[in-house]
Amino acid sequence: MGAGHAHPLHLDQDSRIHRLSPEVKIVAVLLFTIVVVVTPREEFTAFAGYAVLIALVAALARVPAGWLLKRSTIELPFVLLAVVLPFAGHGERIDWLGMSLSVDGLYGAWNIFAKGTLGVLASLLLAATTTMRDLILGLDRLRCPTVITQIMTFMLRYVDVLIDDARRMRIARLSRGYDPRFLWQVKAFAVGVGALFLRSYERGERVYLAMLSRGYAGRMPHLDSDPAPAREWALSSTLPVAAAGIAVAAAVLA
């Protein structure tokens, strides 16, 4: 896992959030997301509180709001689905600007949009403050199944190699005058994908045999096994604890 394999979502900033151990950030985001998901969709004030927490974390991590908003567009397909629900829902309906909207559909659309947006923003903050190598290291410290962390490790190590192979194969096709632009012209592309798969499979076999010859016994060596100190766990717990407090307060005051 070389240091040169930085994922495009990581922001190289110097903040307290960046310096936290990866495992505490992973657990904090996971618990925060669980609190958000289990919050009833009618608790509008709770979702507003969650948004404030996300904004505070982003400010502490020095992650620009524009950066978050631009990359949160990944949830647009779910937003489009949410837009359809008020029109396709059943049950009680209300009239708004000449349109008949389902009340249950409106709640469903809000539920998808609010929880999806908060989950995406939390995940983006985790990605922005943690390198890919540290994310894998954090999962390993949290006793994530070894096979999963090893697959992610090799994916991180060889994804650039696969991208370069695909680019060279595309250049080779173009140099031979083949530039498919329509569905019925994709035969060469399909053949190239198959060849890339076989090449990757063979490379994986060679790498695995080379690892076995060097004493590989089913687990990668630990480069850094120091656990996160208690103060980092306490600091990271403020996010899910604050979210849980907001949820309880909103339920009591409702």
Side-chain angles (χ1 to χ4, degrees), residues 142-219:
L142 293 172
R143 299 298 186 267
C144 183
T146 304
V147 64
I148 294 179
T149 56
Q150 290 190 14
I151 289 174
M152 295 176 65
T153 300
F154 287 115
M155 179 192 72
L156 175 64
R157 175 64 182 85
Y158 288 103
V159 65
D160 292 337
V161 177
L162 295 180
I163 292 174
D164 286 340
D165 283 347
R167 179 180 57 82
R168 286 193 294 268
M169 293 171 69
R170 178 178 179 273
I171 293 175
R173 287 198 308 271
L174 294 177
S175 66
R176 290 167 174 80
Y178 193 84
D179 185 16
R181 298 178 182 273
F182 302 99
L183 183 62
W184 57 87
Q185 294 179 318
V186 297
K187 179 180 178 181
F189 176 77
V191 171
V193 171
L196 184 62
F197 171 79
L198 293 176
R199 186 179 300 178
S200 303
Y201 184 85
E202 293 172 351
R203 179 183 288 114
E205 287 288 331
R206 293 194 300 270
V207 171
Y208 180 69
L209 292 176
M211 292 170 61
L212 289 179
S213 68
R214 289 165 173 80
Y216 174 71
R219 188 172 182 84

Side-chain angles (χ1 to χ4, degrees), residues 49-132:
Y50 300 153
V52 171
L53 289 178
I54 290 291
L56 290 175
V57 174
L60 290 174
R62 301 178 183 176
V63 177
W67 185 93
L68 281 175
L69 293 176
K70 180 179 179 180
R71 284 154 182 80
S72 64
T73 54
I74 191 175
E75 67 165 340
L76 279 180
F78 301 98
V79 173
L80 295 177
L81 172 63
V83 170
V84 176
L85 291 180
F87 300 95
H90 301 286
E92 181 184 357
R93 306 187 74 85
I94 60 173
D95 292 328
W96 183 71
L97 296 180
M99 297 180 291
S100 178
L101 305 176
S102 166
V103 174
D104 188 62
L106 287 171
Y107 275 119
W110 161 254
N111 191 53
I112 293 175
F113 175 75
K115 295 182 179 180
T117 300
L118 289 169
V120 168
L121 291 176
S123 300
L124 286 173
L125 284 175
L126 175 62
T129 58
T130 316
T131 64
M132 182 64 75

